[in-house]
């Protein structure tokens, strides 16, 4: 297990409020009676609605699609209305109002297995699933390489250092096996031998303890983790 420290000089100092979010507990939220699903959930082209009022949908049913991203239903139910509401990107956009039927039906993609798992098929699945990065850019766009580019290391960015956020540490504590499995899956597809996790400097103590058990694991890519510290 390798450890590196990096330094950046950018940003402003905010009071740390980590104590408010220090619990690693997660809550199972009760499904609402109805939802409003925004069509505008990413930067770029606005998706076109592909359902109509009265349609029955499952959890995972396609609601809207553009050439860059897709929107899916989070619940089972009936489309009651397509209305304009304020958008997180400013102005207003269409929202799809769905009345919950609590049917519990799921409309999933067929899993990629065996020879179907290739860099191209996984990139296509990321596109089809409408996955958007934290900055609002559709994720598949960031994964498209130019002809002269290649990949030799997979970097997992867990370096968010917002004043009150502990989500990265909570996910690592609760779902470390799943996170590692996903990282190894991507590394295997891309034939990458090294995976690096990057964290904010204030997580040194809990992260080192968390990753100590990984050093003895067998049949794994080379694992490393790095810490970023900043001057404000």
């Amino acid at each position: 297990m390798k450890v590196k420290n990096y330094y950046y000089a950018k940003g402003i100092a905010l009071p740390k409020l980590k104590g408010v979010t220090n619990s690693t507990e997660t809550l199972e939220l009760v499904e609402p009676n109805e939802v409003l699903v925004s069509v505008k959930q990413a930067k770029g082209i606005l998706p076109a609605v592909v359902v109509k009022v009265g349609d029955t949908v499952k959890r995972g049913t396609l609601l809207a699609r553009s050439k860059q991203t897709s929107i899916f239903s989070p619940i089972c139910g009936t489309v009651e209305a397509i209305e304009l509401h304020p958008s997180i990107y400013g102005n207003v956009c269409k929202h799809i109002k769905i009345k919950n039927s609590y049917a519990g039906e799921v409309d999933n993609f067929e899993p990629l297995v065996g020879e179907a798992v290739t860099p191209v098929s996984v990139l296509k699945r990321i596109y089809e699933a409408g996955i958007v990065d934290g900055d609002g850019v559709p994720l598949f766009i960031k994964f498209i390489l130019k002809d002269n580019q290649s990949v030799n290391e997979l970097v997992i960015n867990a370096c968010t250092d917002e004043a009150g956020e502990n989500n990265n540490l909570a996910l690592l504590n609760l779902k470390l096996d799943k996170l590692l499995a996903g990282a190894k899956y991507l590394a295997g597809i891309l034939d990458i031998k090294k995976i690096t996790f990057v964290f904010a400097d204030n997580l040194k103590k809990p992260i080192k303890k968390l990753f100590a058990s990984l050093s003895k694991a067998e049949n794994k890519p080379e694992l490393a983790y790095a810490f970023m510290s900043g001057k404000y």
Side-chain angles (χ1 to χ4, degrees):
M1 186 75 67
K2 296 181 180 179
V3 184
K4 292 184 179 180
N5 290 282
Y6 296 93
Y7 178 82
Y8 64 93
K10 190 176 182 180
I12 59 174
L14 295 173
K16 299 300 180 186
L17 303 171
K18 301 284 187 181
V20 180
T21 56
N22 226 7
S23 171
T24 56
E25 293 182 29
T26 59
L27 300 176
E28 190 75 27
L29 298 179
V30 177
E31 283 193 8
N33 290 326
E34 61 182 24
V35 295
L36 278 174
V37 182
S38 172
V39 169
K40 182 68 172 176
Q41 297 189 25
K43 296 176 181 177
I45 302 170
L46 186 68
V49 176
V50 298
V51 292
K52 62 184 183 299
V53 174
D55 282 356
T56 299
V57 298
K58 302 176 183 179
R59 185 184 302 146
T61 295
L62 181 68
L63 300 177
R65 169 166 284 171
S66 74
K67 291 182 179 180
Q68 292 184 339
T69 189
S70 302
I71 308 296
F72 300 90
S73 176
I75 63 172
C76 298
T78 304
V79 177
E80 287 199 322
I82 300 172
E83 308 168 333
L84 292 177
H85 289 279
S87 166
I88 61 170
Y89 288 95
N91 209 327
V92 296
C93 71
K94 289 180 179 179
H95 284 64
I96 302 166
K97 185 177 181 180
I98 303 172
K99 178 73 173 179
N100 201 337
S101 67
Y102 299 96
E105 296 176 300
V106 180
D107 188 7
N108 282 336
F109 289 106
E110 289 293 327
L112 296 174
V113 295
E115 295 181 357
V117 181
T118 66
V120 173
S121 67
V122 171
L123 181 62
K124 182 181 178 183
R125 177 57 54 85
I126 290 171
Y127 161 70
E128 292 172 336
I131 300 173
V132 176
D133 207 353
D135 59 1
V137 177
L139 190 59
F140 82 94
I141 293 175
K142 297 186 176 184
F143 287 170
I144 298 174
L145 301 178
K146 296 179 181 179
D147 291 340
N148 60 344
Q149 292 180 317
S150 60
V151 180
N152 53 27
E153 181 178 1
L154 179 62
V155 179
I156 310 297
N157 180 9
C159 202
T160 303
D161 195 26
E162 301 293 338
E165 260 189 27
N166 277 323
N167 59 316
N168 288 336
L169 183 57
L171 284 171
L172 284 159
N173 274 319
L174 294 167
K175 300 182 183 293
L176 181 60
D177 290 344
K178 288 186 177 181
L179 290 170
L180 284 174
K184 292 176 183 178
Y185 178 77
L186 288 175
I189 292 167
L190 298 171
D191 195 25
I192 292 172
K193 305 302 182 186
K194 182 178 181 182
I195 302 173
T196 298
F197 291 79
V198 185
F199 307 95
D201 188 59
N202 62 326
L203 293 182
K204 265 187 180 178
K205 190 173 181 179
I207 291 302
K208 284 187 176 181
K209 182 179 179 181
L210 193 63
F211 273 65
S213 61
L214 299 179
S215 59
K216 298 179 181 180
E218 297 180 357
N219 301 320
K220 62 176 178 58
E222 178 187 351
L223 292 171
Y225 52 97
F227 296 97
M228 301 287 289
S229 58
K231 177 181 179 181
Y232 302 99

